[in-house]
Amino acid sequence: MNKTAKGLIALSAVMVLLGGGYAALRLTDDEDGGSESSSISESSESGKQVIIISDTAAEGPDSPNNSFEYGVVKTVDVKNQTDELHVVQSEKHEEESGLKYTTYTLEGYQDVAMETSIIGTLANNANELTSEDVIAENCSDLAKFGLAAPRATADITYESGKKYRLLIGDDAPTGEATYVMIDGENTVYTVRSSAVSNYMKTTLDYVTTTVLASPEELPTVKKLKIERGDIDYDIVLEYDESSSDDNYSGGTSSSHVMVEPTSAFLAVERSANVTTGMFGLSAAGIYSVHCDDTDIAEAGLKDPFCRVSMSCDDGKDYVLLLSEKFTDSVYGKCCYGMLEKGNVIFIISEDNAPWTTVLPVDIASKIFIASYVWNVTDLSVECSSGEKADFRLVKKNPDEKKDSYTSDDIIVTKDGKSFDSERFRQFYGFLISGNAENFALGESIPSGKPMVSLKYTDSYTGKTDTIEFYDKSAMSALIVVNGEAKFTAAKSFVETLMHNVQILDGDEEFTTTWK
């Protein structure tokens, strides 16, 4: 139990609360110091405050003088204008301090995730319900208070067997109080509206809107797959094992990479809600509980528009089914969703369902080289104009392990001759500063030689990559990675790269900007 809940429970041991989430066995003093009684009243500025419902049978022979022990509600049967609710005990608890409390749920819905703290108010708000004022005793005209045909009734049964039927009528003119009466007593009271508002709700109001609860410690998402009806490929994201290695400085800040429909790094700020957003996913409303095949088909989930499969490192797999989007008069743009083999269909707002619209370009990083400079062991570059360079990098002390390296730790050669390691770092810094502009998946690769061809090996991953830049248009170049068209980039970047290759052997500063 969290600290907030414990604090509320502890407070309920001292004060009579109308909005409590738990039924506790509490002790309270009779201010008058008189004999034991089933009701306590006192004068106040707003009128006469009376405890309307209490369980006098709960009073025990061992109770201290002038105090009594409050009873525990066993069941509450609510009937309102739209639904019937049957509240039953879920669990009994006892704190180390000795404080006892009971939690509640709805009968027949024990297999559904429910808002048990709110359901608890149906028992706890009735128990020791206190009036704001006594409006009329021996009332003969109940209709004017909405009590001849009440908006809701609540049959409260205590563990002792004591029973009450609470009638809930109209709201008082103040708007903050509601007329109530105990059936058979004909005394009309006002109580705070917030104390009885939950008795007017339906079953669906008590179903949790969290589609998949977020555990205290999130597991690692090993793989996420999006299958969707409006695209002819799957989007597959996988956990990048190197991201958890403190010794690896490459990649991006995202712990995941895209592997389908193409391999690409991810932009963490744009991909996090796609990768891990299923945990703690909140719905706007509930469409169906205990859904059957007909409900699933009507919600468009028998053959769903979108299917999101998530595999985690704790061995658990989850599948989220989502319908096509539609516009609802209450919830706006949304879709239906449910966990595969679940029993609740949710209404999920468009903003909380990124899987129904996301495209690779939305979440992929536009970085095409992400290896850490001193992880590179080989790098060759060749330009269509004839310039070329072949670099080799080795650590001065290969057996020495350091948290970070500098130019002084690395020996660089170019075409077999010694080369200034700091100047190589500057040249490589320009290379990785280039970003793609757009995706170019599926584009044809032009014939002929590329404007520039790069090939490099990363010592950490052991992978060798080839990146080629082809002339695409007056302003644009096509980037081909390992033989696959991936991105477009500004042609001016490629032209600047060619210039920097031309001046490698001099001392002229590299150009680091382009239009």
Side-chain angles (χ1 to χ4, degrees):
M1 179 180 300
N2 62 38
K3 293 181 180 178
T4 303
K6 290 181 180 178
L8 288 172
I9 293 166
L11 183 61
S12 68
V14 180
M15 301 176 66
V16 176
L17 294 180
L18 297 181
Y22 302 93
L25 300 180
R26 300 166 291 184
L27 296 179
T28 186
D29 292 331
D30 183 341
E31 290 186 350
D32 295 331
S35 60
E36 297 166 351
S37 172
S38 62
S39 66
I40 304 170
S41 64
E42 62 182 8
S43 296
S44 70
E45 293 180 2
S46 62
K48 198 173 187 181
Q49 291 186 325
V50 176
I51 293 180
I52 303 169
I53 300 174
S54 66
D55 182 16
T56 56
E59 187 179 356
D62 298 327
S63 296
N65 190 32
N66 300 329
S67 67
F68 60 89
E69 193 173 41
Y70 291 87
V72 176
V73 173
K74 183 178 181 180
T75 62
V76 182
D77 296 307
V78 179
K79 185 175 182 179
N80 56 42
Q81 295 172 345
T82 55
D83 208 348
E84 292 187 17
L85 311 172
H86 304 285
V87 180
V88 295
Q89 293 180 347
S90 176
E91 293 182 90
K92 287 182 175 291
H93 308 264
E94 183 170 356
E95 296 288 300
E96 292 182 1
S97 63
L99 178 68
K100 300 176 183 179
Y101 62 94
T102 302
T103 53
Y104 297 87
T105 189
L106 295 184
E107 186 176 39
Y109 293 89
Q110 289 88 339
D111 60 337
V112 177
M114 306 294 285
E115 297 288 356
T116 55
S117 61
I118 304 178
I119 293 172
T121 65
L122 299 176
N124 302 329
N125 287 10
N127 191 17
E128 308 304 327
L129 179 62
T130 303
S131 68
E132 293 285 288
D133 203 350
V134 178
I135 302 302
E137 296 179 332
N138 299 315
C139 181
S140 59
D141 186 6
L142 298 178
K144 69 179 181 180
F145 302 110
L147 293 168
R151 287 189 292 166
T153 61
D155 291 308
I156 299 104
T157 301
Y158 283 93
E159 287 183 340
S160 66
K162 186 97 180 252
K163 297 182 179 182
Y164 291 91
R165 170 170 286 185
L166 177 67
L167 309 182
I168 301 171
D170 294 338
D171 290 332
T174 62
E176 297 180 356
T178 299
Y179 298 116
V180 302
M181 184 182 78
I182 300 301
D183 190 28
E185 294 188 3
N186 285 13
T187 298
V188 178
Y189 307 90
T190 52
V191 298
R192 286 190 307 165
S193 295
S194 60
V196 293
S197 60
N198 286 346
Y199 296 99
M200 266 68 80
K201 292 183 176 181
T202 70
T203 300
L204 295 185
D205 293 318
Y206 293 102
V207 179
T208 181
T209 54
T210 300
V211 179
L212 179 62
S214 183
E216 290 185 8
E217 184 174 346
L218 282 179
T220 297
V221 176
K222 301 294 287 185
K223 182 177 181 179
L224 185 102
K225 182 179 181 181
I226 302 172
E227 303 168 84
R228 211 167 66 227
D230 63 333
I231 51 179
D232 58 3
Y233 54 83
D234 297 335
I235 299 175
V236 180
L237 313 180
E238 289 186 354
Y239 179 68
D240 182 7
E241 297 291 344
S242 62
S243 67
S244 61
D245 189 341
D246 293 336
N247 296 318
Y248 181 59
S249 303
T252 65
S253 55
S254 174
S255 58
H256 291 75
V257 294
M258 185 185 299
V259 296
E260 290 184 38
T262 186
S263 58
F265 298 107
L266 296 179
V268 64
E269 70 279 2
R270 290 185 277 115
S271 63
N273 65 331
V274 174
T275 307
T276 60
M278 201 184 297
F279 289 115
L281 174 62
S282 178
I286 306 297
Y287 173 73
S288 175
V289 179
H290 289 150
C291 53
D292 55 22
D293 290 343
T294 300
D295 297 324
I296 294 172
E298 289 178 350
L301 297 174
K302 183 178 181 180
D303 183 17
F305 167 73
C306 179
R307 180 185 178 92
V308 187
S309 306
M310 180 173 68
S311 299
C312 302
D313 66 348
D314 60 1
K316 295 181 179 179
D317 297 332
Y318 305 92
V319 177
L320 177 65
L321 309 178
L322 298 167
S323 73
E324 290 192 72
K325 295 191 299 294
F326 59 91
T327 300
D328 182 85
S329 60
V330 176
Y331 303 111
K333 286 188 176 181
C334 53
C335 63
Y336 294 121
M338 68 177 294
L339 293 175
E340 191 172 56
K341 298 180 181 179
N343 57 7
V344 178
I345 298 175
F346 300 88
I347 303 170
I348 303 172
S349 69
E350 181 182 41
D351 292 341
N352 285 355
W355 310 276
T356 61
T357 55
V358 68
L359 295 173
V361 69
D362 298 328
I363 57 176
S365 168
K366 294 178 181 177
I367 294 173
F368 47 83
I369 300 178
S371 291
Y372 174 52
V373 56
W374 304 129
N375 283 344
V376 173
T377 59
D378 301 88
L379 186 147
S380 61
V381 55
E382 183 175 359
C383 302
S384 58
S385 54
E387 292 83 9
K388 63 173 63 176
D390 191 1
F391 294 99
R392 297 285 185 273
L393 289 78
V394 295
K395 293 182 175 66
K396 288 182 180 179
N397 299 302
D399 296 330
E400 182 182 14
K401 304 297 182 183
K402 302 179 69 173
D403 292 336
S404 61
Y405 294 87
T406 68
S407 301
D408 294 334
D409 300 313
I410 306 298
I411 298 172
V412 180
T413 61
K414 173 182 172 289
D415 302 326
K417 297 179 182 179
S418 178
F419 189 82
D420 181 43
S421 58
E422 175 59 18
R423 188 161 177 81
F424 174 83
R425 186 195 66 78
Q426 294 170 356
F427 175 69
Y428 189 82
F430 165 77
L431 280 180
I432 63 176
S433 69
N435 286 336
E437 291 184 336
N438 291 296
F439 270 95
L441 302 179
E443 287 201 20
S444 299
I445 301 173
S447 59
K449 293 184 63 175
M451 296 175 66
V452 179
S453 178
L454 288 170
K455 187 176 182 179
Y456 67 97
T457 299
D458 188 310
S459 62
Y460 181 87
T461 64
K463 186 179 178 183
T464 298
D465 291 296
T466 299
I467 300 176
E468 297 167 309
F469 300 88
Y470 285 87
D471 190 348
K472 178 176 171 62
S473 68
M475 303 292 290
S476 180
L478 178 68
I479 302 175
V480 176
V481 180
N482 297 326
E484 180 185 0
K486 286 284 189 72
F487 309 101
T488 60
K491 190 175 180 178
S492 56
F493 167 77
V494 185
E495 292 170 340
T496 304
L497 170 58
M498 296 173 72
H499 166 75
N500 287 337
V501 173
Q502 291 172 355
I503 64 171
L504 276 170
D505 291 329
D507 56 8
E508 180 183 345
E509 290 187 3
F510 294 116
T511 301
T512 57
T513 60
W514 59 92
K515 294 182 180 180

